[in-house]
Amino acid sequence: LFLLLLLLLHPPPSLHPLLLSSQRHYPAAWGHYDVCKSQVYTDEGLTWDYMACQPEAADMTQYLKVTLDPPNITCGDPPETYCALENPYMCNNECDASTEELAHPPELMFDIEGRNPTTFWQSTSWKKYPKALLVNITLSWNKTIELTDDIILTFESGRPEQMVLEKSLDYGRTWQPYQFYATDCLDAFTMEPKTVQDLTQHTLLDIICTEEYSRGYVWKYDKTVRFEIKDRFALFAGPRLHNMASLYGQLDTTKNLRDFFTITDLRVRLLRPATGATMVDENNLSRYFYAISDIKVQGRCKCNLHANSCVFDKEKLSCECEHNTTGPDCGRCKRNYQGRAWSAGSYLPIPKGTANICEYTHMHCECFGHSNRCSYIELLNTVICVSCKHNTRGQHCQLCKLGYYRNASAELDDENVCIDCNCNPFGSVSDRCNGTGFCKCKEGTTGPKCRECLPGYLWDNGCKSRVCDNELLRCQNGGVCLNNLRCECPRAYTGLLCEKPRCESELGGCGGADSGQAPLSPPSSPRLLLLLLLGSALLRQASYWPTML
Ligand SMILES: *[C@@H]1O[C@H](CO)[C@@H](O)[C@H](O)[C@H]1NC(C)=O
Ligand SMILES: *[C@@H]1O[C@H](CO)[C@@H](O)[C@H](O)[C@H]1NC(C)=O
Ligand SMILES: *[C@@H]1O[C@H](CO)[C@@H](O)[C@H](O)[C@H]1NC(C)=O
Ligand SMILES: *[C@@H]1O[C@H](CO)[C@@H](O)[C@H](O)[C@H]1NC(C)=O
Ligand SMILES: *[C@@H]1O[C@H](CO)[C@@H](O)[C@H](O)[C@H]1NC(C)=O
Ligand SMILES: *[C@@H]1O[C@H](CO)[C@@H](O)[C@H](O)[C@H]1NC(C)=O
Ligand SMILES: *[C@@H]1O[C@H](CO)[C@@H](O)[C@H](O)[C@H]1NC(C)=O
Ligand SMILES: [Ca+2]
């Protein structure tokens, strides 16, 4: 408000005096990216000016779902009494899931802290020592989030001696470590101990193991474990982040860097509780457990610089997309705004960035006048004409439908651009033709439309090969050739060329010598019987041969 007042009193020369949309101006040189569009007067009149925009950073723990693994690792069922790590005689920490005041459910890691006593989640104790006490705490947003500040875990117990912070960018399908934590990095993870101060611009994406947050009894005075986002930002933006422009410039051009700070889920893997740097007292395992009073995750919805607000509705975060984009992350162009490929907004040039808005599709619905309707095919990211008329087809109605060919003397937008192939249905293989209207003909057929017969063929619903010819006298026994297609035979003959005598009873049968057909007799001849007997005897003998060998 103070800045706004200042601006009103002394409008800087760079600000257009007629800037209309003025919820907030840019107070600093690098910009906040909090406005997606504003109305401005130009020489052509009132128009919109579009800018890259992003939601404000917020406390993201209000919108998450927490899952514990194993699920029954929370204390209190059955009730348990815990002793202090530093004093085994101080046993006044009671946990009972059935009593509200003594229960320690996971929600207490995300409530508003600041009142006394603190509220915290607590695990069961290390009853199964020396078997490891393993707990996964998974935080899921079901939305991509960009981290803007350190992740801070505040322990109520001693800080764990071994722990890993992991992240997922794909809704929990795959996980990558963010940072390892141990009292002894070499021993626990065979990694050299490092701190965030050892990182440079070139090694910023390295995953390190740190001993900063788990040394000895230090937990008594500092109970927090951090993942240092700001120290990493500072490698580009300078100490106290005074040069955010430099950081935004880097984020814009380096996808790996952007992805490093982007998450959909976080996982805290607790691998070994605090033991006070002494031997584990096996007689009193009630001293060893995990308890966390608070987890801080500051960030903003990732909206690809196309939204300046993010809403939590029906248990789900989603960007309120501008620039005619849509999707939970504004990662697509809206229907009918697919005029060009979607693209994320850009932080550059500072301070307004580039909006990269989605453009109206209509201007790109080019169908040569054969349709005035287009449809966007998301899978191919293209616009195609629908219901092409005048026998056309194709993305722009620029092709002829099957069964039609291109009229060479007509322009693409001519109603007569496609001509029916008109292939003869009997003479052609299909109703399609080539680019000059020629159909594909069946055997014996020819002509552009397959309406004519080749020599030696005759038309009869298609071209049939010539069967007979009166000049060549191919029909026998006095048959007469009809239309070169078939022989008409005298009554006593049949067959294609009247070559077979007909065997009808009223003609006295076909018993003549020239019929070549002897009446069939049963196989009763003694010679045949002998042959059959001999054959079966030989077969039987054959079956003995193998044993005889
Ligand atoms: C949790 O449940 C599993 C299987 O149901 C059981 O084996 C295990 O002992 C339980 N753990 C605790 C701490 O109650
Ligand atoms: C742990 O030691 C304290 C003090 O000796 C005792 O009161 C408590 O019962 C012990 N707990 C267990 C589980 O032995
Ligand atoms: C915890 O998560 C890791 C992977 O992130 C998995 O391997 C492990 O089985 C999970 N459960 C426990 C109890 O550690
Ligand atoms: C995550 O969000 C999508 C919509 O974007 C929804 O369909 C899905 O059910 C959600 N998953 C969970 C686990 O809430
Ligand atoms: C998006 O489309 C609407 C019409 O649906 C239009 O009024 C608006 O100006 C468009 N916005 C941008 C950023 O192009
Ligand atoms: C080809 O197009 C021209 C020009 O429109 C037209 O005059 C002609 O009739 C068309 N040819 C056919 C076969 O349709
Ligand atoms: C179509 O087929 C005819 C006959 O085979 C041929 O002469 C002509 O060049 C072909 N036209 C095209 C465009 O292929
Ligand atoms: Ca709390």
Side-chain angles (χ1 to χ4, degrees):
L1 190 69
F2 177 63
L3 266 165
L4 195 69
L5 273 173
L6 261 179
L7 282 173
L8 289 175
L9 290 173
H10 309 281
S14 67
L15 270 179
H16 200 290
L18 284 171
L19 197 71
L20 285 190
S21 157
S22 53
Q23 301 123 343
R24 240 176 284 172
H25 295 283
Y26 298 106
W30 46 271
H32 270 155
Y33 301 102
D34 53 358
V35 181
C36 295
K37 62 180 173 193
S38 67
Q39 241 175 350
V40 288
Y41 276 117
T42 64
D43 296 341
E44 290 113 62
L46 202 57
T47 61
W48 286 102
D49 189 16
Y50 300 107
M51 291 153 274
C53 51
Q54 63 186 7
E56 250 180 283
D59 172 9
M60 284 292 146
T61 58
Q62 304 166 55
Y63 312 116
L64 58 76
K65 193 176 120 245
V66 59
T67 319
L68 293 193
D69 181 26
N72 58 354
I73 198 70
T74 299
C75 69
D77 183 20
E80 243 188 293
T81 301
Y82 296 81
C83 305
L85 178 61
E86 64 278 23
N87 183 352
Y89 298 96
M90 208 168 88
C91 301
N92 50 12
N93 179 349
E94 251 183 285
C95 182
D96 182 352
S98 59
T99 312
E100 206 193 323
E101 303 83 69
L102 297 177
H104 294 287
E107 300 85 80
L108 298 183
M109 293 186 279
F110 309 106
D111 58 350
I112 293 158
E113 215 43 88
R115 59 208 161 97
N116 259 334
T118 53
T119 57
F120 53 93
W121 163 81
Q122 186 166 313
S123 74
T124 58
S125 66
W126 200 357
K127 287 182 290 230
K128 291 191 182 143
Y129 176 86
K131 194 169 169 278
L133 180 61
L134 302 179
V135 184
N136 286 351
I137 302 171
T138 306
L139 316 182
S140 311
W141 282 272
N142 198 13
K143 168 83 188 81
T144 44
I145 304 283
E146 291 166 337
L147 298 174
T148 56
D149 206 338
D150 296 1
I151 297 169
I152 308 172
L153 284 79
T154 307
F155 280 82
E156 182 66 15
S157 64
R159 293 183 293 187
E161 287 181 1
Q162 290 174 19
M163 146 180 166
V164 190
L165 183 68
E166 293 183 332
K167 65 169 266 193
S168 171
L169 235 179
D170 53 11
Y171 306 94
R173 277 186 284 280
T174 61
W175 294 88
Q176 297 85 42
Y178 240 161
Q179 193 145 297
F180 293 86
Y181 302 83
T183 43
D184 186 336
C185 281
L186 266 178
D187 179 54
F189 302 113
T190 59
M191 292 170 83
E192 285 290 339
K194 289 214 171 108
T195 71
V196 71
Q197 272 72 41
D198 297 328
L199 295 175
T200 65
Q201 283 193 0
H202 298 291
T203 60
L204 189 146
L205 304 185
D206 285 4
I207 306 303
I208 59 167
C209 178
T210 179
E211 298 177 353
E212 282 285 283
Y213 303 103
S214 22
R215 267 183 224 279
Y217 270 108
V218 178
W219 65 268
K220 261 204 100 176
Y221 311 103
D222 186 357
K223 297 180 158 195
T224 62
V225 173
R226 284 170 182 263
F227 180 63
E228 310 88 343
I229 299 281
K230 282 203 159 160
D231 288 340
R232 284 172 171 83
F233 281 172
L235 290 174
F236 287 107
R240 293 190 314 280
L241 309 181
H242 63 267
N243 186 5
M244 284 299 276
S246 161
L247 174 66
Y248 282 140
Q250 283 297 326
L251 287 173
D252 226 72
T253 49
T254 324
K255 183 178 184 301
N256 280 355
L257 188 67
R258 219 163 47 226
D259 285 350
F260 183 81
F261 298 109
T262 307
I263 59 165
T264 56
D265 303 71
L266 277 178
R267 177 173 284 167
V268 181
R269 295 180 62 190
L270 302 170
L271 302 175
R272 187 180 164 92
T275 61
T278 55
M279 294 289 283
V280 171
D281 171 9
E282 290 191 48
N283 298 319
N284 204 325
L285 293 171
S286 305
R287 295 164 66 191
Y288 312 112
F289 56 90
Y290 307 107
I292 298 177
S293 62
D294 194 55
I295 298 181
K296 279 202 173 19
V297 183
Q298 287 274 326
R300 62 166 60 97
C301 289
K302 176 190 168 100
C303 302
N304 286 301
L305 296 177
H306 287 309
N308 61 359
S309 69
C310 189
V311 291
F312 190 61
D313 186 31
K314 298 190 189 89
E315 303 274 286
K316 180 158 170 47
L317 279 172
S318 49
C319 299
E320 293 217 286
C321 301
E322 300 262 2
H323 305 158
N324 286 311
T325 60
T326 187
D329 305 346
C330 309
R332 286 180 285 130
C333 284
K334 244 164 60 176
R335 205 185 141 80
N336 296 330
Y337 288 87
Q338 326 271 4
R340 66 163 182 215
W342 175 91
S343 156
S346 162
Y347 285 115
L348 303 174
I350 308 286
K352 284 184 173 184
T354 310
N356 290 331
I357 63 170
C358 289
E359 279 175 3
Y360 192 48
T361 305
H362 192 77
M363 348 230 275
H364 300 262
C365 183
E366 175 50 85
C367 309
F368 293 107
H370 304 304
S371 169
N372 48 20
R373 262 194 331 119
C374 278
S375 172
Y376 177 71
I377 308 296
E378 206 160 52
L379 203 67
L380 308 171
N381 189 28
T382 53
V383 174
I384 61 156
C385 300
V386 290
S387 342
C388 294
K389 290 194 288 277
H390 312 131
N391 305 313
T392 60
R393 67 179 174 97
Q395 186 178 355
H396 305 293
C397 307
Q398 82 281 26
L399 303 170
C400 286
K401 258 182 13 191
L402 296 178
Y404 292 81
Y405 69 103
R406 179 72 206 279
N407 181 345
S409 54
E411 295 293 334
L412 260 182
D413 57 4
D414 195 316
E415 282 190 22
N416 300 311
V417 69
C418 292
I419 306 168
D420 198 334
C421 286
N422 247 323
C423 298
N424 186 284
F426 299 103
S428 13
V429 172
S430 72
D431 58 358
R432 300 176 200 174
C433 55
N434 78 1
T436 42
F438 282 81
C439 307
K440 207 168 173 198
C441 298
K442 287 184 186 160
E443 199 206 329
T445 318
T446 187
K449 307 297 172 196
C450 310
R451 266 182 230 144
E452 284 110 50
C453 288
L454 289 168
Y457 289 85
L458 274 179
W459 187 262
D460 178 28
N461 285 348
C463 294
K464 307 282 158 64
S465 66
R466 209 178 266 238
V467 168
C468 56
D469 193 321
N470 280 330
E471 269 133 55
L472 296 173
L473 296 172
R474 293 201 56 201
C475 302
Q476 298 166 29
N477 297 310
V480 179
C481 182
L482 282 183
N483 296 329
N484 300 75
L485 289 173
R486 63 187 181 88
C487 294
E488 195 177 60
C489 303
R491 260 193 89 185
Y493 291 90
T494 183
L496 203 62
L497 300 171
C498 314
E499 77 281 24
K500 279 192 247 163
R502 206 186 285 265
C503 307
E504 285 175 41
S505 53
E506 68 261 43
L507 288 173
C510 305
D514 56 349
S515 78
Q517 283 186 349
L520 272 176
S521 50
S524 55
S525 106
R527 266 164 68 197
L528 191 66
L529 206 70
L530 197 75
L531 266 170
L532 277 171
L533 281 171
L534 203 76
S536 66
L538 269 170
L539 267 172
R540 212 171 307 143
Q541 211 180 349
S543 64
Y544 286 127
W545 287 347
T547 41
M548 280 160 68
L549 285 167

